Amino acid sequence: MKILTQHIDVPGIETIDVFMKNGGYKAVEKAIKTMTPDEVTEEVKKSGLRGRGGAGFPVGMKWSFLAKPEGVPRYLVCNADESEPGTFKDHYLMWKTPHTLIEGMIVSSFALGANTSYIYVRGELMYVINILEKAIQEAYDKGLLGKNILGSGYDLDLFVQPGGGAYICGEETALLESLEGKRGNPRNKPPFPAVKGLWQSPTVVNNVESIAATSWIVNNGGDAYAAIGVGRSAGTKLISASGHIKKPGVYEIPLGITVEEFIYSDEYCGGIRDGHKLKAVVAGGSSVPILSAENILTTEAGEKRLMTYESLSEGGFATGTMLGSGGFIVMDETTCIVHNTLTFARFYHHESCGQCSPCREGTGWMDKVIKRIETGKGRMEDIDLLVDVAKKIEGNTICPLGDAASWPVAAAIRHFRDEFEWHVTHPEEATKPGAVYMRPGASWTL
């Protein structure tokens, strides 16, 4: 079942004429000519669509929280920052079929009563920004943006705003600060953006994939979307698959297939490269807990793990993880978990905005301690020190970056503690080029 990528390989689909020949912008016409804003919101609620940026919060419910005071503008902001390591599906969608997002922006803006909307794109993706701006101009030329869209009386202006390339601006309030021309520091909440967001006006911030899905929902109905998937994990999901697999790329899956099928079937990842064995998976971008091969394929209850919000989180962080942004990173037995954890820790240390002491100091400490272990200078007590620092960061910061930094470290130690201990007890062997710890205790050199 393909919703967002159904026509992605059609030649010229990035142009408005080809896009419209393949059914594009029918949702705009249907929404603004035959439906009220509340009816559009109700269909999105019925669909069960959940935020595809990581948190998985129901999109329709988020829309319903938007304050609607008289005489005050409302805004829709698309979070296209996508700075989560391992995640590249929004980038792919905007690059290949920009009008899919633009149509969703018009439908969603109409539902929210927004007359000015923004797409905030990570600054490194300048070529994608150019593609979007060209597509937006095409939409203006066709009367799908601007004043009196399709003679309906509804007005909408849409702008693209480049970001500065800061991971922290993936957090919605930091994004709004950046959009206002300030340093991208997260805001204290409450008030939430739905009450006071962009320029202190009611604002909804949604992810690219979330907004793009609304057009299909308007065309086909919320019930049809809810019928895809499993339970509260409705619809399809774009997955960015990378790492030690035969077929890395972006895949649109119906939520509910097994993790095993996604990794090993020819339709998706095609299995592990070069005949190697699966060692670990980060299922939802670098900020979610890493799982061992055993835990990612099977739940604690012995059932096959599914690609859903609920199944991946089953067992809590003891044996489960999160679907998150869908950044699916696969690692085979040649991976050094300690080195991988250091890479993640260094990233979060670098990207911390420094506003909160636990995150500003704690990410630096984790970076230094893991580096000490990885370079053969670690002490056994460093492992528990890392767990303790992670606990002191988690839940004690203004935004979730602190959690994002602490969860990967704690999970790596939880599931691969013996590998950390081996780096401490066998420093000369562990620091040899290409040396990798192999259970039950042997090292293997590439």
Side-chain angles (χ1 to χ4, degrees):
M1 182 66 190
K2 300 290 176 65
I3 288 176
L4 300 178
T5 62
Q6 182 181 2
H7 304 296
I8 206 161
D9 292 323
V10 173
I13 197 66
E14 73 280 1
T15 65
I16 197 166
D17 289 334
V18 175
F19 184 73
M20 293 181 77
K21 284 179 183 177
N22 286 274
Y25 289 106
K26 286 184 178 178
V28 172
E29 187 171 3
K30 180 179 180 180
I32 67 177
K33 287 189 173 181
T34 69
M35 302 174 74
T36 66
D38 287 344
E39 286 173 340
V40 176
T41 300
E42 191 57 34
E43 288 301 320
V44 174
K45 277 185 177 180
K46 284 197 296 184
S47 74
L49 174 66
R50 295 169 67 171
R52 302 304 199 214
F57 192 82
V59 173
M61 186 179 296
K62 189 174 186 178
W63 287 7
S64 68
F65 293 157
L66 186 70
K68 299 180 180 179
E70 289 293 328
V72 177
R74 299 189 286 276
Y75 298 100
L76 171 65
V77 177
C78 174
N79 184 347
D81 190 67
E82 197 173 45
S83 295
E84 180 77 3
T87 311
F88 44 89
K89 42 93 178 180
D90 291 341
H91 158 211
Y92 179 74
L93 195 67
M94 293 185 291
W95 166 38
K96 290 288 189 178
T97 175
H99 286 285
T100 299
L101 173 59
I102 294 167
E103 182 178 22
M105 288 294 294
I106 299 169
V107 168
S108 303
S109 297
F110 172 73
L112 296 167
N115 299 113
T116 305
S117 296
Y118 297 88
I119 304 173
Y120 183 98
V121 185
R122 184 155 53 107
E124 292 92 334
L125 300 179
M126 190 54 67
Y127 76 99
V128 172
I129 291 169
N130 293 335
I131 290 170
L132 283 172
E133 288 183 333
K134 181 180 179 181
I136 287 170
Q137 186 57 55
E138 288 180 326
Y140 271 105
D141 293 343
K142 292 282 188 180
L144 294 161
L145 284 170
K147 299 289 184 184
N148 194 25
I149 296 174
L150 300 180
S152 66
Y154 174 62
D155 304 336
L156 176 64
D157 286 312
L158 181 60
F159 302 95
V160 179
Q161 175 63 44
Y167 175 80
I168 193 66
C169 289
E171 195 278 332
E172 62 180 11
T173 61
L175 185 156
L176 295 177
E177 288 285 290
S178 177
L179 196 54
E180 292 178 2
K182 305 170 189 172
R183 191 175 192 271
N185 279 359
R187 299 173 181 173
N188 279 305
K189 293 175 285 191
F192 291 91
V195 179
K196 291 197 174 191
L198 188 63
W199 294 301
Q200 298 300 300
S201 297
T203 304
V204 166
V205 181
N206 278 140
N207 163 265
V208 171
E209 185 184 349
S210 310
I211 292 172
T214 60
S215 300
W216 193 94
I217 292 167
V218 166
N219 281 330
N220 298 275
D223 290 334
Y225 191 87
I228 306 165
V230 177
R232 292 180 58 242
S233 293
T236 65
K237 178 80 182 76
L238 295 180
I239 303 293
S240 313
S242 64
H244 300 152
I245 49 178
K246 293 179 181 178
K247 295 168 57 183
V250 176
Y251 297 97
E252 184 173 10
I253 65 166
L255 286 169
I257 67 170
T258 66
V259 174
E260 183 178 7
E261 179 185 353
F262 182 67
I263 294 175
Y264 290 101
S265 74
D266 291 335
E267 184 178 358
Y268 300 115
C269 299
I272 310 302
R273 63 168 189 176
D274 302 330
H276 289 300
K277 294 180 181 178
L278 178 65
K279 180 175 183 177
V281 169
V282 174
S286 65
S287 62
V288 308
I290 189 173
L291 289 185
S292 65
E294 298 79 13
N295 285 323
I296 192 64
L297 296 176
T298 310
T299 67
E300 196 172 21
E303 299 174 347
K304 287 192 174 184
R305 187 88 69 176
L306 306 181
M307 294 288 282
T308 65
Y309 293 93
E310 291 76 27
S311 183
L312 284 169
S313 64
E314 189 173 334
F317 282 179
T319 57
T321 183
M322 299 167 65
L323 180 59
S325 63
F328 200 87
I329 308 170
V330 179
M331 306 173 200
D332 66 19
E333 77 270 36
T334 67
T335 304
C336 174
I337 297 297
V338 177
H339 181 76
N340 181 79
T341 307
L342 174 61
T343 301
F344 286 171
R346 184 179 295 141
F347 172 81
Y348 289 109
H349 179 203
H350 180 269
E351 293 297 331
S352 173
C353 74
Q355 189 175 191
C356 305
S357 297
C359 183
R360 181 184 65 246
E361 304 299 331
T363 54
W365 295 343
M366 289 195 300
D367 182 1
K368 291 174 184 176
V369 174
I370 299 171
K371 185 177 181 180
R372 188 160 69 206
I373 295 172
E374 205 265 343
T375 55
K377 300 173 184 175
R379 304 164 300 186
M380 197 61 75
E381 57 265 33
D382 284 340
I383 300 172
D384 287 328
L385 175 62
L386 284 168
V387 174
D388 186 59
V389 172
K391 286 180 180 178
K392 286 180 166 59
I393 299 172
E394 182 183 356
N396 292 310
T397 54
I398 290 173
C399 86
L401 190 144
D403 295 347
S406 60
W407 290 344
V409 174
I413 295 172
R414 184 182 307 122
H415 298 292
F416 299 95
R417 188 183 185 100
D418 54 346
E419 189 159 341
F420 282 82
E421 291 176 348
W422 179 74
H423 273 72
V424 173
T425 57
H426 296 75
E428 291 185 6
E429 197 173 354
T431 53
K432 289 179 181 178
V436 178
Y437 172 77
M438 301 286 287
R439 288 172 174 156
S443 66
W444 181 71
T445 304
L446 288 170

